[in-house]
Amino acid sequence: MRHSTADEPFFLVRTLRTWAEDGDRIAPHAHPWPQLIVPMRGVMTIWTTVGTWVVPPGSAVCAPARIAHAWRGTGRLEMHALYFRPDEPVGPLPQRTGVIAISSLLRELIVRSVEIGMLDARIPTHHAIATLVTELLSERDTPAFALPKPHSPELLRLIESLNGVPDSPARLAVAAGMSLRTLQRRFRDETGISLGRWLRQSRMSDGLLALAAGQSVAAVARRAGYSSPSAFVAAFRGVFGTTPGQFFDVSDPRPGRMRKGSVPP
C-alpha cells in the first residue's frame, strides 16, 4: 500500500526492497521525498543531470526530492531504498545528488528499516533509527569513482565519444581542438576534478560493470588499458580495498527472502 504524507502524518521514512535482472532499466523519474538508493547486490549505474555514478554494494546514491534520475542494473541486482519525509525530517539530509560510502552500521540500519517497512514517529525505536541514519549520512565519505558531468556542449560531446574506453588526455585535447592545458583547466573548472582523475575513475567504473556482467579480470584489464591483470587488480584494490574476486563474492545471508518490490513511491 502506498501512502502520502497527508495520509500517514506519522511516517518518518518509507522503504522499498526490490530486485532486477542484468540489464533491467528504470526510466527517468523523480520522487517528492528525498531518497537513498542502496544496491545490496549487483551494481547500479545511475544517471542524473549533474553526473553519472556506478554504484556497487557498499555505496549508495542520495537523491534530493524532485531530482530526476534513471538507473540500470548490472548482474542480478537487489536494491533497498529509503524515502525520507520532506516536511518534517528528523535531521539534515544531503541537498545534492551524489554517491556516498555506506558504513557497516549504516548498512545494518538500512536493512532493519526495510524489514520494518515504514518508520513511525510514534514508536521510539523507529524515531531513533531514522535519527541515526540521517546523522550517519551527514558523516558520509565520498567514494573515488563518481563521474561528475561537465556542463559545456564541447566537453559533453567529448566524454560521450569515449564509449566506455577512456583515451589519453593528449589525444582528447587533439580531438577537442584545444591545447592540453586548456582542456585540463576547463575540465577541472566544470567537474571539480582533474581530467586524469576523471579518466581513471571512468576506466575503473567501466571495469566494475564488466566484472559484474561476468567478464574475466584478464578481459577487463585489456579493455581498460592495463598492462596486465595483476596491474588492474592492484588498481582495483586501491579504489575498493579488496580484489575483484573478493568484492563480488557476496551471498544472501537469508536465502529465499528476496522478493519483487512494488513501484517506488
Side-chain angles (χ1 to χ4, degrees):
M1 180 178 181
R2 296 176 63 183
H3 304 271
S4 69
T5 54
D7 295 330
E8 298 292 347
F10 300 105
F11 284 148
L12 298 172
V13 178
R14 298 192 266 173
T15 70
L16 171 73
R17 185 188 189 196
T18 189
W19 79 89
E21 298 302 325
D22 183 57
D24 284 355
R25 296 172 178 261
I26 294 294
H29 61 285
H31 308 283
W33 290 37
Q35 181 183 9
L36 183 68
I37 306 167
V38 190
M40 308 301 284
R41 290 168 186 81
V43 176
M44 302 179 75
T45 304
I46 298 180
W47 296 271
T48 73
T49 56
V50 298
T52 299
W53 294 274
V54 174
V55 192
S59 299
V61 164
C62 293
R66 308 190 189 286
I67 295 296
H69 54 280
W71 60 262
R72 181 188 67 215
T74 301
R76 189 163 186 257
L77 177 72
E78 180 188 0
M79 183 193 79
H80 288 184
L82 270 57
Y83 303 85
F84 299 90
R85 188 180 187 88
D87 53 347
E88 296 179 10
V90 293
L93 293 170
Q95 298 302 306
R96 294 184 180 181
T97 305
V99 65
I100 64 171
I102 296 293
S103 66
S104 298
L105 175 57
L106 182 53
R107 184 185 189 280
E108 292 305 314
L109 291 169
I110 291 166
V111 170
R112 181 57 182 148
S113 298
V114 172
E115 289 175 341
I116 293 171
M118 294 192 180
L119 302 183
D120 190 319
R122 295 167 294 184
I123 301 175
T125 54
H126 291 194
H127 195 283
I129 290 172
T131 300
L132 186 52
V133 166
T134 57
E135 287 291 331
L136 292 173
L137 288 177
S138 69
E139 300 172 358
R140 66 196 187 280
D141 295 322
T142 302
F145 48 89
L147 291 177
K149 284 185 180 179
H151 55 75
S152 66
E154 299 92 340
L155 295 191
L156 280 172
R157 285 195 297 269
L158 187 66
I159 65 171
E160 289 169 356
S161 72
L162 296 176
N163 194 28
V165 185
D167 209 336
S168 71
R171 284 195 292 263
L172 286 176
V174 172
M178 61 184 73
S179 70
L180 177 58
R181 180 173 295 181
T182 298
L183 176 61
Q184 290 173 327
R185 174 181 55 78
R186 288 189 56 184
F187 210 90
R188 182 179 289 278
D189 289 345
E190 294 189 25
T191 65
I193 63 175
S194 70
L195 175 60
R197 179 181 170 187
W198 193 96
L199 291 172
R200 288 192 297 273
Q201 292 175 189
S202 178
R203 190 176 294 115
M204 189 57 62
S205 296
D206 184 64
L208 187 66
L209 289 172
L211 290 168
Q215 294 186 29
S216 68
V217 170
V220 172
R222 285 194 300 270
R223 175 179 169 83
Y226 286 89
S227 59
S228 65
S230 60
F232 173 78
V233 170
F236 190 97
R237 185 192 292 274
V239 173
F240 299 107
T242 187
T243 66
Q246 293 168 333
F247 187 91
F248 288 101
D249 183 19
V250 180
S251 59
D252 191 341
R254 292 169 297 169
R257 294 286 305 273
M258 194 178 293
R259 62 185 186 276
K260 186 68 175 179
S262 60
V263 176

